[in-house]
Amino acid sequence: MLELTPEEKNNLPRHVALIMDGNGRWARSRKMPRLFGHRNGVENVRAVVNAAKEVGVPYITLYAFSTENQNRPKDEKSGLMKLLEEFLKKEFRSMMEDGIRLRAIGDLSGLPGFARKIVEDTIDETRDNDRWNLTLALNYGSRQEVLQAISKYGQDNPASDHIPTWEEFSPYLETSDLPDPDLIIRTSGEFRLSNFLLLQAAYAEIFVSPLHWPDFGRDAFIQALSNYAQRERRFGKTSEQIQQPAQPLASS
Ligand code: IPE
Ligand code: IPE
Ligand code: MG
């Protein structure tokens, strides 16, 4: 079993966002229908959430269904929604026991009623849990989120010609009570964001795994954290500035 070194444990991301890709390819390689891949993908969510708890990553966000995924065949979409319902029913008890708070980002009004209801109920029922934070991106698209935010900002600030600062504008995004993702993991070897957290990802580290999502288990997640821990995040500064401890003020 892969373990993090003490140094890596001191350098963990606070928020990991995952683009769970490759369920279809995983199924196809087994000559099975796509939904078989999605079912195994859902099983894997538990493994990754447990790994996050094991090492202490407090915020996990999962890209489960994009705005553009609405263009998939009807059967696949309804299968995914049923899997979502099953997952939330099955996990509810352990979410309460472990102190996991569920949130959702995305336009829930575009989900079938039964799926929307269980998502909203679980959000309500886990509202006071404060140990771990699980966010599902459901019918989510970053561009749509930004357009919504601009519209709401405009309603609250009518006739203002002031260009908002990031601090003024970002509360209008759906992620307003989440820290920015430190690490974005995408499985299945694709190097793209597919309309996921485009603004929040400004300084996220990106890790692409060749594994399909159902195969991206505990050890693969730990491996990604280990890789993250070894990176130098400079946020526009020089390497020297990052490595130098803050200089004490000169005293005479
Ligand atoms: C990710 O797997 C799950 C969703 C987008 C819902 P895919 O279904 O995209 O799998 P591939 O990319 O076709 O292999
Ligand atoms: C991104 O995967 C969306 C989710 C993982 C939910 P897609 O499979 O939809 O992305 P593209 O179409 O390959 O970019
Ligand atoms: Mg895909």
Side-chain angles (χ1 to χ4, degrees):
M1 208 159 85
L2 194 64
E3 298 293 344
L4 294 171
T5 65
E7 206 167 291
E8 288 168 344
K9 281 188 187 153
N10 280 331
N11 213 1
L12 285 176
R14 209 170 144 224
H15 183 180
V16 179
L18 296 108
I19 304 175
M20 309 183 289
D21 199 13
N23 293 348
R25 279 162 278 178
W26 186 90
R28 191 169 62 201
S29 73
R30 286 162 176 76
K31 301 198 167 27
M32 294 295 280
R34 295 179 59 82
L35 269 172
F36 179 72
H38 293 316
R39 179 168 287 284
N40 281 272
V42 173
E43 285 299 314
N44 193 49
V45 166
R46 190 169 311 116
V48 168
V49 170
N50 283 340
K53 286 192 294 169
E54 176 194 331
V55 295
V57 174
Y59 289 87
I60 292 285
T61 297
L62 301 172
Y63 202 6
F65 194 81
S66 72
T67 327
E68 291 73 25
N69 290 150
Q70 292 285 10
N71 298 319
R72 291 196 178 192
K74 269 206 172 76
D75 285 359
E76 179 167 350
K77 288 196 287 177
S78 64
L80 279 166
M81 292 302 136
K82 282 182 201 134
L83 285 171
L84 170 68
E85 182 190 31
E86 247 177 66
F87 171 79
L88 289 176
K89 273 190 183 155
K90 221 164 150 183
E91 293 307 308
F92 180 69
R93 184 203 277 261
S94 62
M95 289 174 77
M96 296 310 285
E97 282 169 5
D98 296 343
I100 300 179
R101 176 172 177 182
L102 185 80
R103 292 181 180 82
I105 54 174
D107 180 7
L108 297 185
S109 73
L111 301 185
F114 74 90
R116 178 179 183 171
K117 176 162 178 15
I118 191 162
V119 171
E120 286 175 344
D121 287 351
T122 313
I123 290 172
D124 270 352
E125 283 154 8
T126 62
R127 195 171 290 283
D128 294 330
N129 294 349
D130 57 5
R131 274 197 81 185
W132 309 103
N133 300 276
L134 177 63
T135 303
L136 299 180
L138 293 166
N139 197 25
Y140 173 84
S142 196
R143 286 186 168 172
Q144 292 79 349
E145 176 195 29
V146 171
L147 295 173
Q148 278 284 340
I150 291 171
S151 160
K152 279 191 244 158
Y153 180 88
Q155 283 165 19
D156 285 358
N157 300 275
S160 159
D161 58 4
H162 158 74
I163 296 175
T165 62
W166 179 249
E167 285 66 32
E168 286 164 344
F169 179 70
S170 58
Y172 288 87
L173 296 171
E174 292 189 71
T175 48
S176 57
D177 58 349
L178 304 175
D180 280 347
D182 301 295
L183 173 63
I184 294 183
I185 297 175
R186 183 163 187 154
T187 57
S188 223
E190 308 291 356
F191 288 76
R192 57 176 172 267
L193 290 173
S194 303
N195 206 10
F196 188 46
L197 301 178
L198 301 180
L199 297 186
Q200 296 88 337
Y203 269 100
E205 295 296 323
I206 298 179
F207 183 90
V208 174
S209 166
L211 298 173
H212 297 315
W213 173 252
D215 287 333
F216 186 85
R218 184 245 173 223
D219 279 7
F221 182 72
I222 301 292
Q223 179 70 51
L225 297 181
S226 157
N227 178 288
Y228 168 90
Q230 284 154 42
R231 298 188 190 185
E232 181 179 69
R233 301 181 75 192
R234 289 190 285 276
F235 298 98
K237 295 183 178 174
T238 69
S239 196
E240 289 74 15
Q241 285 175 301
I242 299 298
Q243 281 162 21
Q244 253 170 34
Q247 296 295 311
L249 290 176
S251 58
S252 51

